[in-house]
Amino acid sequence: MKRRTLLIKAAVSLAFFAILFAFAGRQDLLAMLKRVDPLYFALSFVIAAAQISTSCLKWRVLINLYGDRLGFGFLMRNYLIGYYFTNLMPSNIGGDVVRSYYAGRRIGSQTHAAISVFMERFTGSLYLLALVIAMPLLKPGLYARPAVFIPALGAAGLLVFFAALAFWGQGLIRFLNGLIENLARRASGAGGRSLVGRGVKALLWFRGKSEKIGEKLALTVRLLKENRGAAFAVFGLTVLFYALTWGNVWLAYRTFGEPAELRGIMSLLATAMLAGSIPVTLGSLGIAEGAYVFYFRFVGIAPAATLAMGLFLRFKLLAVGLAGLVGYLTYPHERFDYERIRQQAETGSPGGDP
């Protein structure tokens, strides 16, 4: 089943790229790729390194909340290894699981490491949702397009949901428990394949996810409230990361001689990133580039220029993944480490937690 899923996602990725190459125009794309500016090419890698360093610093702040002290060099190495697993390994082991596992081994607590990784991603996701709502206001008229308005509406709904979890999480869990008990009594004689039975399964899944998110949120929010300096650092580093992301895309356009307007990039990049993260392709191959092409047309950027930019961003991800591969091959592994990581990915239980 996993192999079949990977093959289907790979096929969808190829289909996306075939459509993109046809839409952008093969000759226009080739002409764009031949216009590489060495200065902007180099600067683009510099800003990518700054992005990764910013994320790693935020992870360090979060993992140190629990009284652990991990060096920036150790965490950066693990962050790069995570890029390798995410971008170059066609497996069900994501980079977040890998870096959580190795950090957990170092501090002696897989739970604390997993929460720190979760919160590093989650705080970034919350800010991304806020950008999806706010940034289209930079360009009047964008909200008139359903492709912009609908994601913004969905982002607002998600933020409301997470706020409800933060403030009324226990009440929501009690409500779901009561609803599940009532439905379970009705479904007891109908079997698990009935509509009610399927509804119970869906609610159980939703309750489990809500409980896990709520527990992680409650613990980390409490710690951040007790440490205002860490809270400001997490917020500031999140803002800095997305500012660097805008600069990264602008420099990628400039690498191919495209004078893209920074305000136009800022207005739609978050929406394109959200749309490009839908997990229907292998490692977001094809769908991320397609989202860039689709959305940046709204601010007057030619599809060929955007596809060249997207391919360059993909090339940089692969380059960072190769650096992570070097870090992984030179890592002082113990025997069966990969199997333990796979266990954590599949069951959520790496074992050995104090």
Side-chain angles (χ1 to χ4, degrees), residues 6 85 87-93 282:
L6 288 174
F85 274 86
N87 296 295
L88 295 180
M89 282 284 285
S91 71
N92 64 321
I93 300 178
L282 194 62

Side-chain angles (χ1 to χ4, degrees), residues 134-145 261 263 267 298-299:
M135 297 314 290
L137 296 173
L138 291 176
K139 284 285 188 177
L142 283 179
Y143 262 126
R145 298 178 181 271
E261 182 192 21
R263 190 172 67 163
S267 66
F298 296 162
V299 289

